[in-house]
C-alpha cells in the first residue's frame, strides 16, 4: 500500500455536505480557494469557464426559488460554474475571424474545464476545513438560472458548489470496486452481477433512504428521456 499523505487522505475522506452552520467564509479564504481552482488543467489554457460567486442572501434565494436545495440557501458561498465561450468570441472578433462555437466539442471543452476547476475548488475548500456539495440540478432550470445571473450569449450554467462549515458530516460514500472502473489496457464490459453487487453495497450504505440502490437511481436518470432545459438554453445562447 502506498504511503498516504495529507492530500490523498483529504481526497479519500471526501463526502458531500448539504447542511451548513451559519459561519461565514472570510474574503481571503474564498480568494485562495478560487485561485487554487483556477490552477486546474484547462484545455489549451483557454479557461473556457467563469465562476459566479454568490454570497448575498437575495441572490441565493433567487436561485433557490428555481432549484430548492437547502444547501444553496444556507451555504456561506454558492459558486456557479459557467461554461464560457464569451471571452473566446471577443478573441475571434479581435482577429476579424468568424466565430463558430456551436457544437458538442465546444461543450466538452468548456464543461471539462469547469469540472476540473470545480473539483480543485472543492478540494481546496475541504483542505481549509470547509465542505460543500456540487449542484448540477440547476440545469433543470437553465434559462431561469441564466437570467438570474445575467449570463450572456455563449455561456451556460453547468453546476454550482455550495460551500460552508459542515453542520454534520455523512459517512464516506462507497464507490464501485476499482476493478469495475479502471481496466488494464482495454475496456472490460461489466456484467449484471457487478451491478447487483454494487447495488447491495450502496443499499447497505444508504439504508432506508428512497432509491437506495445505485441502479434505481440510474433508471431515474436514464430510464426516461432527458429534460430539454439544457438543450433549449444552449440553443438560445448560440452554442448548439
Ligand atoms: C456535477 C455534479 C452535480 C451534482 N449535483 C448534485 C445536486 O444537484 N444535488 C446534490 O445533492 N448532490 C449533487 N451532486 C453530489 C453527488 O450526489 C455526490 O458527489 C455523489 O452522490 C457522491 O457522494 P459524495 O460526494 O458524498 O462522495 C453532484 C455531483 C456532481 C459531480
Amino acid at each position: 500500500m502506498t504511503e498516504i499523505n495529507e492530500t490523498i487522505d483529504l481526497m479519500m475522506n471526501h463526502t458531500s455536505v448539504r447542511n451548513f452552520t451559519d459561519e461565514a467564509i472570510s474574503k481571503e479564504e474564498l480568494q485562495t480557494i478560487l485561485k487554487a481552482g483556477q490552477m486546474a488543467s484547462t484545455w489549451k489554457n483557454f479557461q473556457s469557464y467563469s465562476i459566479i460567486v454568490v454570497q448575498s442572501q437575495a441572490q441565493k434565494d433567487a436561485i433557490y426559488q428555481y432549484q430548492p436545495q437547502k444547501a444553496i440557501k444556507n451555504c456561506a458561498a454558492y459558486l456557479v460554474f459557467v461554461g464560457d465561450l464569451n471571452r473566446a468570441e471577443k478573441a475571434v472578433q479581435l482577429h476579424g475571424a468568424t466565430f463558430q462555437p456551436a457544437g458538442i466539442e465546444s461543450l466538452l471543452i468548456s464543461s471539462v474545464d469547469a469540472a476540473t476547476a470545480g473539483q480543485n475548488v472543492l478540494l481546496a475548500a475541504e483542505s481549509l476545513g470547509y465542505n460543500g456539495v456540487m449542484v448540477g440540478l440547476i440545469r433543470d432550470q437553465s434559462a431561469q438560472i441564466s437570467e438570474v445571473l445575467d449570463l450572456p450569449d455563449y455561456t451556460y450554467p453547468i453546476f454550482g458548489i455550495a460551500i460552508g462549515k459542515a453542520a454534520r458530516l455523512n459517512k464516506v460514500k462507497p464507490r464501485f470496486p476499482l476493478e469495475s472502473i479502471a481496466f488494464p489496457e482495454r475496456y472490460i464490459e461489466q456484467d449484471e452481477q457487478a451491478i447487483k453487487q454494487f447495488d447491495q453495497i450502496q443499499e447497505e450504505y444508504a439504508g432506508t433512504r428512497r432509491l437506495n440502490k445505485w441502479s434505481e437511481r440510474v433508471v431515474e436518470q436514464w430510464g426516461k428521456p432527458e429534460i430539454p432545459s439544457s438543450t433549449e438554453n444552449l440553443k438560445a445562447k448560440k452554442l448548439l
Side-chain angles (χ1 to χ4, degrees), residues 14-16 18 69 133-138 159 173 175:
H14 158 78
T15 173
S16 289
R18 298 172 178 83
Q69 296 195 42
V133 62
M134 294 193 176
V135 181
L137 288 174
I138 55 166
F159 57 87
K173 203 182 268 188
R175 300 295 197 253

Side-chain angles (χ1 to χ4, degrees), residues 9-238:
D9 195 47
L10 183 73
M11 294 163 100
M12 297 299 283
N13 282 296
H14 158 78
T15 173
S16 289
V17 165
R18 298 172 178 83
N19 294 289
F20 303 104
T21 68
D22 52 16
E23 197 174 321
I25 187 167
S26 74
K27 205 174 165 188
E28 295 71 33
E29 281 177 311
L30 191 52
Q31 287 286 308
T32 303
I33 288 167
L34 291 170
K35 282 184 177 173
Q38 266 197 293
M39 295 316 292
S41 297
T42 153
W43 180 276
K44 298 183 180 173
N45 206 21
F46 286 165
Q47 305 162 72
S48 305
Y49 67 95
S50 291
I51 307 168
I52 314 292
V53 182
V54 176
Q55 289 195 277
S56 74
Q57 197 57 47
Q59 196 66 329
K60 282 191 235 167
D61 289 348
I63 297 171
Y64 178 86
Q65 166 198 339
Y66 294 116
Q67 183 45 231
Q69 296 195 42
K70 245 175 56 187
I72 298 174
K73 214 176 171 60
N74 301 336
C75 62
Y78 189 61
L79 312 174
V80 184
F81 285 72
V82 172
D84 191 349
L85 295 182
N86 190 280
R87 284 184 293 269
E89 193 245 355
K90 309 263 174 353
V92 171
Q93 296 285 351
L94 189 72
H95 291 276
T98 310
F99 188 48
Q100 299 170 69
I104 303 294
E105 187 56 24
S106 297
L107 294 175
L108 286 171
I109 289 171
S110 46
S111 298
V112 172
D113 270 10
T116 54
Q119 178 56 30
N120 257 21
V121 159
L122 186 53
L123 202 57
E126 289 174 349
S127 78
L128 293 176
Y130 293 91
N131 287 94
V133 62
M134 294 193 176
V135 181
L137 288 174
I138 55 166
R139 292 203 302 271
D140 285 3
Q141 292 82 20
S142 292
Q144 294 87 336
I145 300 290
S146 299
E147 202 177 319
V148 167
L149 301 173
D150 283 344
L151 299 189
D153 281 351
Y154 314 118
T155 65
Y156 62 105
I158 308 179
F159 57 87
I161 307 183
I163 286 176
K165 286 275 176 179
R168 72 182 167 79
L169 284 170
N170 290 324
K171 275 189 297 173
V172 171
K173 203 182 268 188
R175 300 295 197 253
F176 267 99
L178 187 58
E179 56 272 23
S180 290
I181 296 281
F183 311 126
E185 311 303 340
R186 283 172 206 282
Y187 192 87
I188 301 171
E189 211 167 324
Q190 298 298 291
D191 57 16
E192 230 176 59
Q193 201 47 35
I195 306 294
K196 282 183 180 161
Q197 271 168 10
F198 190 61
D199 270 352
Q200 203 180 332
I201 292 170
Q202 173 90 6
E203 203 169 16
E204 279 161 20
Y205 168 86
T208 54
R209 273 183 238 163
R210 193 182 74 90
L211 293 180
N212 55 8
K213 285 195 176 118
W214 180 82
S215 61
E216 288 173 348
R217 297 184 74 99
V218 172
V219 171
E220 195 188 37
Q221 178 80 39
W222 282 302
K224 57 187 183 196
E226 73 171 17
I227 50 148
S229 159
S230 279
T231 305
E232 284 167 4
N233 185 58
L234 289 166
K235 284 181 181 160
K237 297 297 184 190
K238 306 178 184 168

